[in-house]
Amino acid sequence: MIPSARQVQPDFLPETGEMGKRIRSFNWSETSVGPIESWPEPLRTAVRICIGSRHPIVLWWGRSGLTQFYNDAYISFLGDGKHPYWLGGSGRDCWSEIWHIIEPMIESVFDTGEATWSEDLLLVLNRSLPREEGYFTFSYSPIWDDFANVAGIFCVCYETTGRVIGERRLRTLRDLGRTVMQARTEKEACELTADTLSRNRADIPFTLLYLTDDKGASAHLVATVGVDGDSEAAPVRIDLTAPLENTAWPLRHVIDTGSAELVTDLESRFGPLPGGPWPESSESAFVLPIGSACQARPVGFLIAGLSPRRIIDSDYRSFLDLIAGHLATAIANARASEEDRRRAEALAELDRAKTQFFSNVSHEFRTPLTLMLGPLENVLATENLSVPASEQLTAAHQSSLRLLKLVNSLLDFSRIEAGRVKASYAPVDLASFTADLASHFRSAMESGGLELHVDCPPLPQPVYVDREMWEKIVLNLLSNAFKFTLNGKVTVRLECNDSEAALSVSDTGVGIQEAELPHIFERFHRIEGAMGRTYEGTGIGLALVQELIHLHGGTVTVASVIGKGTTFTVRIPLGKEHLPPDRVRLVGAEPLSASRVEGYVEEAWGWLAGVHDEKPAPAAIAQIGERNARVLLADDNADMRDYVRRLLNGYVHVNAVSNGQEALSSALSDPPDLILSDVMMPVLDGFALLRELRAHPETSTIPVILLSARAGEESRVEGISAGADDYLVKPFSAQELIARVATHVNMARQRQAAMENLRQRETELRRANEDLTQFAYSATHDLKEPLRNVSIYSQLLLRKLGATADTETQQYLNSLLHEAERMAMLLRDLLTYTQVATDASLSPWSDAGVALKKAVEDLQQAIAESHAEIIADSLPALAVAEVHLHQLLQNLIGNAIKYRDPVKPPRVRVAAIRQDSYWRFVVEDNGIGIAPEYHKRIFGLFKRLHSPSRYSGTGIGLALVKRIVELYGGQVWVESEPGNGAAFFFTLPAGDQK
C-alpha cells in the first residue's frame, strides 16, 4: 500500500521545487525506509543530491523494497499515470512493464558494486500510451551505507527519444530526397517513395500511394507497403465522385477540404492492419493530398499508417507533410521530365521527318540531275559544237553541278544532325590523297590569278580517315579559300607529329573580322558584306567541315587578319584507338566518285568571269571491249531507263525492265553478264532483288551494280554488305557508268574462264589423286608383307636364342622389331591419308557422340595407363561420315594423352557449339602445350616437334585431321601456349538436322 502523507519539517531537505516539498511532507514512517528523522546519512545525502539537481534522477533504497525517490526533472519520465502516485512506492512495481530489462542491471549493481551504462536503450513504457516507444541513456550507480554495503541505486538518466526518432525520420527524408528525385515517371516516383518508406516501418507501418486520373474522377493504386493491393484496405481504384460512406478512404473529403485527414477507426473498417515492427495493429492513418503547383486538385494521395506506440504530435505530422512534399516535388519533376521527353520525342520525330524529307528530296533530285548532267556531258564532249551553244550548255552544266553540290551538302548535314552518319575509317596515304584533291583546283586558281602551293610530304604512317568525309573537308576549305582570295596565293600544308596529323589551308584573302570568328562554324551563318568572288552560299560548308572533323575525334581552328588572309587548321589523332572499333577497316576504300570533286571545281570555275573557255574539256567516254555482253537494267523511272540504255547500247546489249520482280524473272530465265539495279523500286526493291539473285545457284555469281540516290558511306557499305559488287550514287557521269560496267563485265568473263580452268584442273587432280591412292595402296600392300616377315623372323630369332643371346644382340633385335612396327604404323597412316577423300560408299551423316565413344574404346589402353579423364559435352549429329569423325577424335584425343604433362594425369574435354551452318568442335587438354610459332607447322605431313625417341608417332596424324576437315569445307587450328595445354578447334558442316 502507498503510504499517506503528513506534515514534517526535516532540516536536511531543500524547501524549493515540487518534489522537495512532496518528500518533506510525505509520511515516510509507513514505508520500509521509516521516518525521515531515522534515515541513515547515505540516504539523506543521496536524496538531498537528487532533489537539488536539475538532471533527471531517480533512486531506489533497499534491495528488497526498492523504495523510490525522484526529482522534478524526472516527472516527465513517469507521465500523468505514475506521478505523484509512485513516490515512496516500489520501483519494481512502478516499472513493471520494463522490469525484465532493467532488473538484471539493478541486481548487478547490488551484487558487484559496479555502475552500469546504457545508451539510447529502447524501453516501451506505460506512459502517454499503454505501450509507448522511448529511448533512454542512463547509469545505475551504487549507494553505499555506513558498513560498505550497497544499500540503494542512484540513477541519472536522459530521455533521447526525440533525438533517436528524429534521426530515424531525418534519415528517411534524406534517402527519399536522394532517390525519389531520380524518378522519370509519376509511377516510378511513387514506387521509389514506397521502397524508401518500407525501410522505416516503425514510423509508417503501412503505405498506400494513389494517383488521380487525368479527369480527376478516380484514384488508382500505384504502390503499397505492408498491405496487399486489391484488398479491402487497398482497393485498386477509388471513385472520387462516390459518396464518402461508400469509399474505403476519405479521399473526396481531402479534396474538398484541401487538407490531410486523420482516420482513427482502422480496425473497425478493415480489421487488423500491420503495426510495423510492433505486434499491435495500427489504429490510425493520415490521408495526405499530394499537391501540384500546376493545378488546384491533388495529383495523388499518400495514406500513411501511424505507429501504435507513438503519440500523434506535431513532429509526427510535420514528418508526414515533408514526405508528401518530397513526393509532390518528385511527381512534378517526373511530369516535367515526361513533358520534356515528349517534346524531345516530338522534336526527334520532326528531325526524322526532316531527314526523311531531305532523303526523299535528294532521291527525287538525283534522278533528274543524272538525266541533266549525263546528256550535257555527252554533248559537251562532241566535236564541232558552236561557241554560243557550247557556252549555253556549259552554263547549264555548271548550274546542274551547283545544284548537285547543294543537294549533297543539305543531305550530309541533315544526316549528321540526325546521327545517321556511319563513317568507315581506313588507313589512307593522307599526303597523296590530300595533294590529289588540291590539284583539282590548280587550273581554276591559276586562271583566277592565284598561286596554289601544295606542301604535303609523305607522312611516316597511314592515317585512319573516312575517305569521303576527308574529301569533303578538303574541298570545302579549298573552295572557301578560293572564294575569298582575289589575289595572292592559297597554301595547302600537311604535317605530322607523334600523336596527330595537321592540315592547314591558308590564303592571302580578305580575312575575317574578329567578332565573326566565334560564329564562323555555326550552321547557316554568313558574314554580311564580305568581299569575295560571289555572294552565293548556304552557310553550311564550314559547319559541315566541323562536324565531319569531330567524327574523326579531331578539331578545327581558324586564325585571320583583315586584309591579310585566313588559315584553317584541322588536327586529327593518329592511330585508331580513338575511333569506334566496329567502324574501322584494315584496308583502304576504293576511289570515290569523281562527281563530287567536279561539283566543287565547276562551282569555282563559275566564279571566274570570262574564262570559261580555259576550263579543261571533259574526258572522252570510255569504251567497253566486250560488245556482245548482255546487261539487265532494272529502274522504275522510264527516263532513266532510256538514258542508261542509250549510254550502253553502243557497247553492250541492254534489256531494261521497270521493277525488281521483272528483273528476277528475266535473270532466272536468261542469266545476263551483269545486272544494273535501282535500289528504290516497286514490287521488289534493289536489296530484295539482290537477296533473291544470291539465293539461286544460276544467278548467285552474276555481278550486280546498285544505282541509288542514297549518298554516304553507310549506304555504300549497306549495299556492298548485302552482296552487291558495286554501288553507284546518282547522279553519275557517263564515263563512270561505262567504266564500271566494263570493269565488272570483263571481271565476270575472267572469272568464268578461271572457273572453267579450275574445273578442268580439279578433274585432272582427281584423276591424279585416284592414281596416287591406287599407287599408295599397291605400295603399302607390297611393303606390308616384307615388314611382316622382318617382324616375325626377329621374334622367332629372339625366342630361339633366348638367354644365350648377348645383350648387344638382344638390343639389335629389339630395335629391329620397334622400327618394323613403326614402319607398319607409318604405312597404315599414309594409306588412310591418301584414301580419306575417295571412299564414296561412306554415309554422309553420323552422330559425333557415337564416334567419340568408339574413339575412346580404341584408346582405352592408353587412357588406363595414363589415368586420363575424358570429359564430353552433348555432341551433335552432322553431315560427316562416322569413320572420319572417329579418325578426327581418335587422333586428337590420342595426341592429348601422348603429349601430357609429366606431373599430372591428362584431362581432355570435347565440346561443340553451333555457328550458322557449321559446328565448331574443340578438343582441349592440359598437356605440355605448343609454342605459337609451331601452330601452323604441326598440320603439315610428317611435321614433328619432338624426336621419335621421346614421343612415338609418324607425323601424319594432324595432317590427316586437316585433310578430313578440309574435305568437308571446314577449317582446323590450334590455340596454345607452352605449359598451358592446347585447344584444337575444327569446323564441320551441320547439314539438315535429323
Side-chain angles (χ1 to χ4, degrees), residues 135-187:
Y135 297 89
F136 302 88
T137 296
F138 57 91
S139 173
Y140 291 150
S141 302
I143 303 175
W144 302 92
D145 63 13
D146 295 334
F147 304 100
N149 296 319
V150 178
I153 302 294
F154 190 90
C155 174
V156 179
C157 51
Y158 300 92
E159 182 167 4
T160 58
T161 303
R163 177 180 60 79
V164 171
I165 293 180
E167 289 176 354
R168 183 174 72 199
R169 293 172 178 173
L170 185 62
R171 186 164 53 250
T172 298
L173 294 172
R174 183 189 64 226
D175 293 345
L176 198 62
R178 185 177 63 247
T179 60
V180 77
M181 296 308 170
Q182 301 172 4
R184 293 170 295 180
T185 64
E186 299 176 22
K187 184 175 184 296

Side-chain angles (χ1 to χ4, degrees), residues 96 285 379 408 571 696 844 862 879 883:
S96 59
V379 174
N408 285 336
R571 302 179 187 276
H696 290 80
V883 65

